[in-house]
Amino acid sequence: SKSLGKNKHTFFTEGIKDKVNEQQFIETSMHKAITNNEFSLVYQPRITVDDYGLDGFEALLRWNHPEKGNVPPNMFIPVAEKNLQILDIGRWVLDAACQKIQSWVSDGLQNFRVSINVSTVQLHRADLYTEIANALSKYKISGQYLEIEITETAILKDEKSAIKKLEHIKTLGVRISVDDFGTGYSSLSKLRSLPIDVLKIDQSFMADISDDIQAADVLGGIIELAKRLGLTTVAEGVELSAQHDVLISQHCDQAQGYFYAKPLLENVADGYVQECIGK
Ligand code: C2E
Ligand code: CA
Ligand code: CA
Ligand code: CA
């Protein structure tokens, strides 16, 4: 696993020596990625802390490059945001997620959500409301099955306009979730003025909670205040059963992480859904 980790980081260095070339390479091959069918979504289960029940899935983008193999999103999304290809990619993600929702609904899965990550560029440069409305009607699904995840930094970038857009999107029944909470500069009191439904607490908060009472208290404080604001709380990056125990004692609603399940390939997620329906 040490060599796997190393490969992940040295991935592009072979033959392509500097960062500029690497970005250019990503940029040119990304142009063809959609038409060449190189993108896919994996689905990470989000579970209810109390009973391990399935609340839904977060859809995460994967790019399988014909020569380079799997290119991690943290490597190509920033490039796509810079050259605005994220607008096309984001539409592709929205379409694929809605198609998946339709198929799970028709399988008989009830009361679940699929969340997709939406970049700040999409929020501010695309007509996200219309795109979402079109995707929902294309697949004839209710907005209640869809959730969009946006970082607090993205919302605060052009706050007034972001709030207006998010409020409009919410009229479709789509839920809004704040991603990576705690990594930006905003405070819990700031959240009060935002039209949001879900708070995803960044995985950095999980680091010490199982052996440091103060860290667990900090997390507990965030959860308590978020709930007072009427938000659903989701802990990200839960890897250990000891962390899960703290989430129970601090009354966190939901959680996501390797402890429960890794992001699943589409067909594996399908099997997971079948199991849930069977119960
Ligand atoms: P994120 O939205 O915060 O997604 C969570 C990341 O944490 C995912 O990485 C996921 O695989 C990983 N993860 C899940 N459970 C655990 C755990 O227990 N431990 C650890 N260490 N990691 C865990 P991934 O899939 O590599 O995605 C990285 C980031 O790329 C995402 O962070 C998100 O910001 C971005 N991203 C992914 N898909 C999309 C997309 O469709 N659109 C946009 N705009 N961004 C995306
Ligand atoms: Ca996310
Ligand atoms: Ca996150
Ligand atoms: Ca992130």
Side-chain angles (χ1 to χ4, degrees):
S1 106
K2 201 180 173 189
S3 70
L4 263 180
K6 205 178 169 195
N7 278 340
K8 208 176 169 183
H9 295 290
T10 53
F11 173 93
F12 269 103
T13 50
E14 206 189 325
I16 303 170
K17 288 281 188 284
D18 65 277
K19 197 92 195 146
V20 176
N21 282 339
E22 180 181 299
Q23 297 226 340
Q24 271 169 5
F25 178 83
I26 291 176
E27 213 167 329
T28 24
S29 42
M30 206 161 45
H31 271 298
K32 300 169 279 184
I34 292 181
T35 44
N36 288 355
N37 261 317
E38 291 163 16
F39 286 127
S40 61
L41 294 179
V42 290
Y43 297 88
Q44 186 173 36
R46 180 159 120 189
I47 67 98
T48 309
V49 169
D50 282 347
D51 61 0
Y52 293 97
L54 178 74
D55 178 74
F57 296 90
E58 177 175 4
L60 293 156
L61 186 58
R62 292 294 177 264
W63 179 14
N64 185 21
H65 187 275
E67 288 127 47
K68 299 290 173 183
N70 188 45
V71 187
N74 288 332
M75 197 170 242
F76 69 86
I77 291 200
V79 181
E81 287 176 330
K82 227 180 260 171
N83 68 17
L84 300 186
Q85 289 188 58
I86 192 70
L87 298 176
D88 289 330
I89 295 172
R91 264 191 301 271
W92 184 90
V93 169
L94 174 65
D95 188 270
C98 288
Q99 188 174 22
K100 196 75 254 181
I101 289 169
Q102 183 196 47
S103 120
W104 286 336
V105 168
S106 74
D107 285 346
L109 189 64
Q110 287 171 346
N111 190 29
F112 71 98
R113 277 146 289 278
V114 172
S115 67
I116 58 172
N117 292 282
V118 166
S119 142
T120 171
V121 179
Q122 285 172 273
L123 183 64
H124 295 291
R125 308 279 297 251
D127 183 357
L128 206 55
Y129 172 86
T130 306
E131 289 181 5
I132 293 173
N134 288 345
L136 295 175
S137 73
K138 175 179 175 188
Y139 291 104
K140 301 186 174 63
I141 53 172
S142 153
Q144 75 190 38
Y145 295 110
L146 186 68
E147 186 173 305
I148 61 174
E149 301 192 2
I150 306 190
T151 62
E152 47 184 339
T153 330
I155 301 175
L156 299 180
K157 201 176 168 203
D158 183 354
E159 199 182 326
K160 267 201 186 133
S161 130
I163 289 175
K164 244 178 109 180
K165 289 178 176 194
L166 294 177
E167 275 170 350
H168 197 197
I169 291 167
K170 269 171 73 93
T171 64
L172 296 166
V174 173
R175 297 206 305 187
I176 315 290
S177 152
V178 171
D179 203 357
D180 301 345
F181 179 76
T183 58
Y185 297 99
S186 81
S187 58
L188 277 159
S189 64
K190 181 92 238 171
L191 297 176
R192 206 156 48 96
S193 58
L194 302 178
I196 54 174
D197 307 285
V198 179
L199 192 70
K200 296 193 81 172
I201 303 162
D202 190 69
Q203 58 187 56
S204 56
F205 284 89
M206 304 309 130
D208 302 319
I209 55 166
S210 51
D211 44 44
D212 177 343
I213 287 183
Q214 276 185 330
D217 279 346
V218 169
L219 178 70
I222 293 173
I223 292 167
E224 195 185 321
L225 278 163
K227 286 185 152 185
R228 248 187 251 173
L229 296 175
L231 304 174
T232 298
T233 50
V234 182
E236 295 191 287
V238 180
E239 296 179 348
L240 308 167
S241 98
Q243 293 169 330
H244 172 80
D245 293 343
V246 174
L247 296 180
I248 294 177
S249 65
Q250 301 295 340
H251 308 290
C252 190
D253 299 314
Q254 296 169 3
Q256 217 180 303
Y258 300 159
F259 173 63
Y260 312 101
K262 293 207 162 147
L264 309 173
L265 291 174
E266 188 180 334
N267 63 317
V268 180
D270 285 342
Y272 193 102
V273 163
Q274 290 309 323
E275 250 176 66
C276 289
I277 298 166
K279 264 179 219 160

